[in-house]
Amino acid sequence: QLQLVESGGGLVQPGGSLRLSCAASGFTLDYYAIGWFRQAPGKEREGVSCINNSGDYTHYADSVKGRFTISRDNAKKTVYLQMNSLKPDDTAVYYCAAGPSCSVSINFYVYWGQGTQVTVSS
C-alpha cells in the first residue's frame, strides 16, 4: 500500500522550532520529488518547500526562506522539514506529497499524506 505519513507537528511558541518528518512506505522514495504544503483554516493549500529525488535541488516559498530547511534520507525513506523561528502565521496543517519533480504547485503531486497540525502560539 502506497503511503506517506507526516509526524512531528505540535504546539510551539513563537520563535520556536519543530522538525516534521514524512515517512514513505509501499513505494521507492528515491524516484520521487517531495513537496511540503500547508493549509490554514479558511485558506487555500500553499506550497512551502520541495526537494528533488536526489536531494541536490531544493526550493522554498519566500515566506519561509531562511527559516525552513528541507532534507531527505532515501535510505530511511524519510523527508524532513526543519522549521525555525516559527511565527503565528505558520500555523496550519502541513502535508507532504510525492511527485515527479520539485515544484510548489499542487498539480505536480501524485501521493499525499494525511497531514500534521502545527500551531504557533504563546
Side-chain angles (χ1 to χ4, degrees), residues 9-113:
L11 173 64
V12 63
Q13 292 187 341
S17 298
L18 284 174
R19 187 177 81 158
L20 305 184
S21 297
C22 172
S25 62
F27 66 101
T28 304
L29 188 66
D30 309 39
Y31 296 160
Y32 292 90
I34 297 294
W36 281 99
F37 295 80
R38 66 186 181 186
Q39 188 166 19
K43 294 187 177 181
E44 292 187 354
R45 193 170 297 190
E46 63 173 354
V48 174
S49 181
C50 63
I51 187 168
N52 70 347
N53 64 323
S54 60
D56 58 4
Y57 175 80
T58 59
H59 177 78
Y60 298 92
D62 287 344
S63 58
V64 306
K65 202 171 291 183
R67 299 188 297 123
F68 291 10
T69 303
I70 191 170
S71 62
R72 65 190 296 156
D73 185 336
N74 285 341
K76 294 183 178 179
K77 302 182 76 172
T78 303
V79 175
Y80 305 97
L81 185 69
Q82 177 68 43
M83 306 187 297
N84 299 329
S85 303
L86 283 161
K87 306 174 182 179
D89 283 350
D90 295 317
T91 296
V93 178
Y94 283 70
Y95 301 88
C96 65
S101 61
C102 178
S103 170
V104 290
S105 172
I106 291 174
N107 296 330
F108 274 77
Y109 293 89
V110 179
Y111 306 117
W112 288 83

